[in-house]
Amino acid sequence: MATGLSSPRHLTIHDGKVYVAEAGRGGSGPCADGPEGKACFGKTGAVSVLDHGKVKQVVKNLPSAAGTDGSGGGARN
């Protein structure tokens, strides 16, 4: 259905378009040790809309924390 999404988590449909919450891939820091290992902060979370086969980010630069390799992304607010 779509490619290029960064840790997609949830979706909703509004006016015939699919909106996807992207948890992101963290960033370069600051970093902290957590229960699942080291996690680094970044602004790589987003909300994207899928409309007629095209993906467009409609909200960018949302907070994200993930492992140092970008795995396990999880936006927090």
Side-chain angles (χ1 to χ4, degrees):
M1 181 174 202
T3 61
L5 298 169
S6 183
S7 299
R9 292 294 190 258
H10 301 283
L11 58 90
T12 190
I13 299 172
H14 181 71
D15 289 338
K17 298 176 186 171
V18 178
Y19 290 83
V20 181
E22 298 179 65
R25 59 192 176 283
S28 58
C31 300
D33 290 324
E36 297 178 12
K38 191 172 194 174
C40 297
F41 170 81
K43 291 185 175 183
T44 57
V47 175
S48 293
V49 63
L50 285 61
D51 186 20
H52 296 95
K54 296 181 182 178
V55 177
K56 179 182 177 184
Q57 284 189 339
V58 292
V59 180
K60 300 178 184 182
N61 301 318
L62 296 175
S64 176
T68 55
D69 63 354
S71 65
R76 307 284 186 243
N77 51 353

